Amino acid sequence: MEAHNGSGPLNFTLPPNFGKRPTDLALSAILVSMLLIVMLSLGCTMEFNKIKAHFWKPKGLAIALVAQYGIMPLTAFLMGKIFRLNDIEALAILICGCSPGGNLSNIFSLAMKGDMNLSIVMTTCSTFFALGMMPLLLYIYSRGIYDGDLKEKVPYGGIVLSLVLILIPCTIGIFLNAKRPQYVRYVIKGGMILTLLLSVAVIALSAINVGKSIMFVMTFHLWATSSLMPFIGFLLGYVLSALFRLSGQCSRTVSMETGCQNVQLCSTILNVTFPPEVIGPLFFFPLLYMICQLGEGLLLIAIFRCYEKIKPSEDKTKMIYTAATTEETTIPAPLGNGTHKECFPPTASLPPSGLDLEGNSGGQCGVN
């Protein structure tokens, strides 16, 4: 028995020639161009030695893959059970949960001051492992929901294309950073400006292409599922990293990678698996998920940035501690022969690290 959409509005129809109109083609071209620019800019922040270190000591990478292909598919499956979704709704959410990490996580990691080398490595590896993990996970979790063979619906060509669009511009960026570092600043700044301008075009074209059709998918249970899935991914990705004692920088990176899904692959699978009259408005569910993960990611970034401004700086705390210790060590201490030993504060040539645990300044002492 095939899955059917029992709750979708019967009057739902896709816009005529959807996906083949000039505005659709323009949107696809802009998205690819923006992805290349973003990956080139992010590649300029990476270093080959640090990338190699993540492969030699793959603790962070292993945790990220476990979070990506362990937490998110299970979360999607449980969301379908908790909200009692019908088969077609549960399947759409499951396909989204089984997708690899999206490129949006790389931008979020940069904004969260994460480890960009780990972020790109994670996105590349999760996309590569999707060639085997997506069909396996869809086979396991879709049993009882969909009687067809979803393994044949996995867009292997799209996954390979995603790998190419990640690796080529990133490799160019890494080469620029290593061989022509004087140009890196201009590439990153220009990439940011172009990305902002293209983002405006993407929003405008998306509104034109989709129109009011997305309103059909904005039901309470789908809104709730789309909101909870990224949040759970962000939260559990960070918690899992913290439990395995990853640094704060790496934990934030794993969190962003876990919560962000490659919704383009989800859209492709839904498109090739079900005709519009079967899937109905759930054709736009990946777009709803994208809106939620984008909004929640931006909220987390804002909270993190505010926390960074509010919390006391480690350098400032260290300076206060050094000044207080220096004042204590300037008090003359009497010696047994009637003279006084006067301790002077450290000279400018001595680093603040000269302080020991007992409060000694490490400065020069003279006998008067």
Side-chain angles (χ1 to χ4, degrees):
M1 181 181 68
E2 299 287 338
H4 294 283
N5 183 16
S7 63
L10 298 176
N11 61 345
F12 173 80
T13 56
L14 287 173
N17 297 322
F18 185 80
K20 299 179 181 180
R21 298 168 298 178
T23 51
D24 295 318
L25 299 177
L27 179 60
S28 299
I30 292 175
L31 286 173
V32 172
S33 301
M34 188 164 66
L35 177 60
L36 292 174
I37 292 171
V38 169
M39 290 296 106
L40 175 62
S41 301
L42 295 178
C44 290
T45 67
M46 301 171 66
E47 299 178 23
F48 179 74
N49 290 334
K50 293 182 179 179
I51 296 173
K52 186 169 65 174
H54 286 299
F55 283 107
W56 282 111
K57 296 181 179 180
K59 180 180 177 181
L61 180 59
I63 293 172
L65 290 175
V66 169
Q68 184 69 57
Y69 291 115
I71 292 175
M72 296 309 292
L74 180 59
T75 300
F77 179 78
L78 293 177
M79 288 292 104
K81 297 297 183 182
I82 292 172
F83 289 98
R84 297 185 178 183
L85 305 178
N86 62 42
D87 288 349
I88 192 69
E89 291 171 337
L91 191 61
I93 293 166
L94 180 61
I95 292 172
C96 196
C98 293
S99 299
N103 301 107
L104 187 63
S105 64
N106 307 130
I107 302 175
F108 284 172
S109 296
L110 181 64
M112 294 283 285
K113 298 183 179 180
D115 187 335
M116 292 312 302
N117 299 281
L118 177 61
S119 179
I120 300 296
V121 169
M122 285 164 51
T123 303
T124 303
C125 290
S126 68
T127 305
F128 175 77
F129 278 98
L131 294 170
M133 292 302 296
M134 278 195 76
L136 175 62
L137 291 170
L138 288 174
Y139 171 76
I140 293 173
Y141 285 107
S142 66
R143 300 179 70 178
I145 299 177
Y146 178 72
D147 293 336
D149 189 2
L150 281 177
K151 298 191 297 297
E152 297 179 356
K153 307 298 184 180
V154 175
Y156 297 102
I159 295 174
V160 173
L161 179 61
S162 297
L163 281 172
V164 172
L165 293 177
I166 293 172
L167 292 176
I168 291 181
C170 278
T171 302
I172 296 173
I174 295 170
F175 175 82
L176 281 174
N177 192 25
K179 302 297 183 181
R180 298 289 187 272
Q182 65 272 24
Y183 299 126
V184 166
R185 182 165 59 93
Y186 301 105
V187 172
I188 294 176
K189 187 174 182 179
M192 291 176 60
I193 295 173
L194 287 175
T195 300
L196 290 174
L197 294 176
L198 291 176
S199 298
V200 175
V202 167
I203 294 172
L205 287 174
S206 297
I208 294 172
N209 292 343
V210 176
K212 297 181 179 180
S213 299
I214 194 174
M215 299 301 296
F216 286 99
V217 79
M218 289 185 176
T219 60
F220 169 76
H221 54 280
L222 290 179
W223 260 119
T225 304
S226 301
S227 302
L228 286 172
M229 277 184 62
F231 174 76
I232 292 173
F234 290 137
L235 177 62
L236 294 186
Y238 188 89
V239 170
L240 186 64
S241 303
L243 288 176
F244 283 90
R245 299 182 180 278
L246 290 184
S247 65
Q249 187 182 36
C250 291
S251 296
R252 293 192 297 271
T253 305
V254 174
S255 172
M256 293 298 105
E257 185 71 20
T258 305
C260 293
Q261 300 297 98
N262 192 330
V263 294
Q264 290 88 352
L265 291 180
C266 178
S267 297
T268 302
I269 296 176
L270 290 175
N271 189 31
V272 301
T273 304
F274 305 104
E277 60 270 17
V278 174
I279 192 171
L282 288 174
F283 183 86
F284 296 106
F285 173 76
L287 180 58
L288 181 63
Y289 188 94
M290 168 67 80
I291 294 172
C292 291
Q293 74 177 8
L294 177 62
E296 292 176 17
L298 293 175
L299 178 61
L300 289 175
I301 292 170
I303 294 173
F304 172 74
R305 292 288 183 165
C306 291
Y307 172 74
E308 285 280 294
K309 291 183 177 296
I310 294 173
K311 77 169 185 176
S313 173
E314 292 182 3
D315 294 336
K316 184 176 180 180
T317 305
K318 191 173 182 180
M319 289 173 60
I320 295 173
Y321 174 75
T322 304
T325 308
T326 303
E327 290 178 1
E328 292 179 1
T329 57
T330 56
I331 301 174
L335 297 179
N337 57 4
T339 61
H340 285 77
K341 175 182 177 182
E342 185 175 353
C343 294
F344 300 96
T347 60
S349 61
L350 292 176
S353 59
L355 294 171
D356 59 26
L357 295 178
E358 297 180 354
N360 297 323
S361 65
Q364 299 174 343
C365 294
V367 179
N368 295 329

